[in-house]
Amino acid sequence: MSDTAEPSIWATYNAAQSDRAVRPLCLEVIELAGPGNGRTAIDLGCGLGRETDALLGAGWRTHAVDWEEGTRANLTASTAREHRERLTIQIAGFAELADLPGADLVYSGYSLPYIAPEDFARLWGVLRAALRPGAWCAVNLLGDRDSYAQTETGTYTFLPEPEARALFDGMELVKFEVEDRDGNAFGGPKHWHLYNVIARLPE
Ligand SMILES: C[S@@+](CC[C@H](N)C(=O)[O-])C[C@H]1O[C@@H](n2cnc3c(N)ncnc32)[C@H](O)[C@@H]1O
């Protein structure tokens, strides 16, 4: 990247995340799953790493994935020294991810929908293949009434509710919360249609 290149929209977004609280969905799955005790978690689309830090703090060995080059430096700076040996970082685009390490918890906050539907389907297969027996999965997905669907169809993945539910076939659906409301995003006002999901694979 040249010195004059603009930071990507995601880098700009992530830079604004340092003061926010850890996301409730992440806290909820950490509470449900209990102390990590060295078990493995994945934070897919970790951004600045607020939730990666929370997982590490709860005792999880944590594999953080994002395509932003700055992720490594951000996480290295934010991670407490005593947690660093439990952190691994992978700089990769979701569309190119061939596999993920076996995991007891996969968290993905507001990240999975931001790829094309055909890539999402493959990525979801990679995510499901990583889940060990008894593993927890906590993700935000975008529904088909989200206002981004009007401009980003084919670029991002918007799921009708039955299709979103079907992703978790064979898992216990612990939480399936639907948000269908006007609100705000980093880019301004929008209509949110979100599925906030926690599911668990049987032991
Ligand atoms: C809305 S941010 C969410 C970040 C963080 N999980 C949070 O809750 O603040 C989306 C994240 O996904 C990453 N991302 C978006 N598309 C991606 C892709 N195709 N491959 C890998 N990472 C991607 C971005 O770099 C960004 O960090």
Side-chain angles (χ1 to χ4, degrees):
M1 185 183 286
S2 79
D3 289 347
T4 54
E6 291 286 324
S8 76
I9 180 67
W10 293 126
T12 306
Y13 173 92
N14 289 332
Q17 301 301 307
S18 61
D19 290 337
R20 70 160 168 78
V22 176
R23 299 210 184 273
L25 191 71
C26 184
L27 290 176
E28 196 173 341
V29 75
I30 285 174
E31 177 74 22
L32 284 165
N37 286 339
R39 288 181 290 168
T40 299
I42 297 173
D43 185 353
L44 210 44
C46 62
L48 191 64
R50 301 283 295 129
E51 286 66 39
T52 303
D53 286 341
L55 287 159
L56 288 164
W60 293 83
R61 195 171 286 285
T62 305
H63 185 70
V65 183
D66 205 290
W67 66 358
E68 277 297 326
E69 290 293 338
T71 302
R72 195 176 296 282
N74 289 338
L75 275 173
T76 304
S78 68
T79 303
R81 189 178 298 274
E82 66 270 25
H83 295 163
R84 282 191 196 147
E85 66 169 21
R86 284 187 282 108
L87 172 66
T88 50
I89 301 167
Q90 183 177 5
I91 307 300
F94 293 153
E96 291 80 44
L97 265 187
D99 53 20
L100 287 165
D104 306 291
L105 190 161
V106 175
Y107 170 78
S108 185
Y110 301 96
S111 297
L112 288 180
Y114 297 118
I115 54 171
E118 62 274 19
D119 293 327
F120 177 89
R122 206 189 55 80
L123 176 64
W124 190 256
V126 170
L127 184 158
R128 285 290 303 247
L131 297 174
R132 292 177 174 147
W136 295 85
C137 175
V139 298
N140 307 109
L141 301 168
L142 287 177
D144 52 351
R145 291 191 296 279
D146 196 277
S147 54
Y148 287 166
Q150 290 162 19
T151 52
E152 304 292 350
T153 293
T155 307
Y156 295 161
T157 297
F158 305 94
L159 298 166
E161 187 171 330
E163 282 185 34
R165 287 182 178 273
L167 294 174
F168 303 92
D169 281 354
M171 301 180 77
E172 179 194 356
L173 213 42
V174 178
K175 173 186 183 122
F176 193 98
E177 177 183 65
V178 180
E179 289 185 55
D180 200 347
R181 58 169 177 85
D182 292 335
N184 286 297
F186 192 62
K190 65 164 290 199
H191 185 83
W192 283 106
H193 186 204
L194 278 166
Y195 311 122
N196 307 319
V197 188
I198 297 178
R200 190 178 189 197
L201 203 61
E203 291 281 358

